[in-house]
Amino acid sequence: MTVYCLGSINADHVYSVPHLPVPGETIAAHGLTRGLGGKGANQSVAAARAGADVVHIGAVGPDGDWAVARLAGFGIDTAPVAVVEDPTGHAIINVGADGENAIVIYPGANLRQGDARIAAALAQAGPGDTLLLQNETSHQVQAACLAAAQGLRVIYSAAPFDLDAVASVLPHVSLLAVNAIEAAQLDAAFGAARGAEVIVTEGAQGACWRFDGGEVRVPAFPVQAVDTTGAGDCFIGSVAAALDRGLDRAGALRFASAAAALQVTRLGTADAIPSRTEVEAFLGRVQDPAKGA
Ligand code: RIB
């Protein structure tokens, strides 16, 4: 089956800094890398690296050819990526010595999605397929509504978190991904996630999948993180791919946790996402420490 992703495409400018700057402070970065990013692009790359057939729906500016080529290089179908007048989105990412980050995004072309293009991209989609969404593009609700009506699994990664955006899209969502703080805000606002199953990521504590009648938990894999940027994207794209190939909730969470654990040991976003082979080798080492983790 196919994983469709309506998602942001950004040029990531990643600055390695001794610590995240505080208001009014100027600091010098000791490293700079540029690469493909955007929560949507990262999720598409994660799903593709995990072995799924992926179609990316998005938009770039006239300066965005390189980003589309990068997505295509991961085997992603980029036919529904439009070139619009606005510049390609970009992100300024500061990464501190502890691996934590602070990000400013300029959305640019990501806010120029179109109903007709989304409908055309999803025309052949149906039950068994998946739509992945995040909160960095326009047209999330329209896409979710259409996909749900066609019987797709709709996964919404509520990042960057905005309660109003979640409320709008939630009626069409089958699986919602939030962190622990966001889950508490959602519970306070809505009482429950209105029928959607919910994955709550809890950082070093692991992740929990809540569904009607139960929950599944997986612990995080302990690793030395150098850059946590995009770990959530890697996680949810990996979940989508794992479900697509028939893993159950526990198996999908475990696979995605391992993928995210590997990703944070590397600097960067899309380029740091591991392949299915790497993730399965890691899981094998964890299960059998004699092979060396
Ligand atoms: O989640 C990480 C992503 O957030 C980065 O790739 C950046 O582009 C922003 O969208």
Side-chain angles (χ1 to χ4, degrees):
M1 306 309 287
T2 301
V3 175
Y4 296 84
C5 178
L6 168 64
S8 53
I9 301 170
N10 288 342
D12 280 356
H13 303 257
V14 183
Y15 299 89
S16 299
V17 289
H19 60 268
L20 300 181
V22 298
E25 185 181 26
T26 300
I27 57 175
H30 54 80
L32 167 63
T33 60
R34 298 187 182 92
L36 176 66
K39 296 186 194 306
N42 296 339
Q43 292 181 16
S44 279
V45 170
R49 294 279 279 158
D53 289 332
V54 180
V55 176
H56 192 92
I57 308 165
V60 296
D63 56 341
D65 287 4
W66 66 272
V68 181
R70 290 299 323 281
L71 284 168
F74 286 107
I76 295 164
D77 179 351
T78 58
V81 177
V83 179
V84 299
E85 284 185 4
D86 302 54
T88 303
H90 74 258
I92 304 298
I93 304 174
N94 289 314
V95 179
D98 58 359
E100 294 299 325
N101 64 59
I103 304 176
V104 176
I105 58 169
Y106 174 75
N110 294 313
L111 300 184
R112 297 283 176 261
Q113 313 299 333
D115 285 326
R117 190 158 37 81
I118 293 167
L122 295 178
Q124 305 304 321
D129 294 322
T130 300
L131 177 68
L132 265 176
L133 299 160
Q134 336 72 36
N135 189 26
E136 284 188 342
T137 67
S138 63
H139 290 72
Q140 296 155 32
V141 177
Q142 294 93 323
C145 180
L146 184 62
Q150 291 180 206
L152 279 74
R153 175 192 295 122
V154 179
I155 302 179
Y156 184 66
S157 167
F161 187 74
D162 179 275
L163 202 50
D164 291 337
V166 181
S168 302
V169 79
L170 198 52
H172 315 292
V173 167
S174 25
L175 177 59
L176 174 68
V178 289
N179 67 29
I181 295 166
E182 295 158 356
Q185 289 182 43
L186 272 176
D187 287 348
F190 304 135
R194 293 192 205 159
E197 300 192 7
V198 183
I199 294 179
V200 182
T201 51
E202 298 169 346
Q205 312 315 314
C208 173
W209 189 321
R210 299 178 191 164
F211 53 95
D212 196 18
E215 66 173 39
V216 174
R217 282 186 172 276
V218 294
F221 295 98
V223 291
Q224 188 66 48
V226 299
D227 180 3
T228 59
T229 315
D233 307 329
C234 176
F235 179 88
I236 203 67
S238 302
V239 165
L243 292 176
D244 183 67
R245 68 169 187 269
L247 295 195
D248 63 10
R249 295 183 184 95
L253 277 186
R254 185 169 164 75
F255 179 86
S257 293
L262 277 177
Q263 199 241 358
V264 302
T265 64
R266 306 166 179 176
L267 193 63
T269 45
D271 291 318
I273 292 170
S275 67
R276 177 178 172 180
T277 304
E278 291 174 299
V279 175
E280 289 178 346
F282 174 81
L283 283 169
R285 291 196 298 274
V286 174
Q287 276 153 6
D288 181 2
K291 292 181 184 166

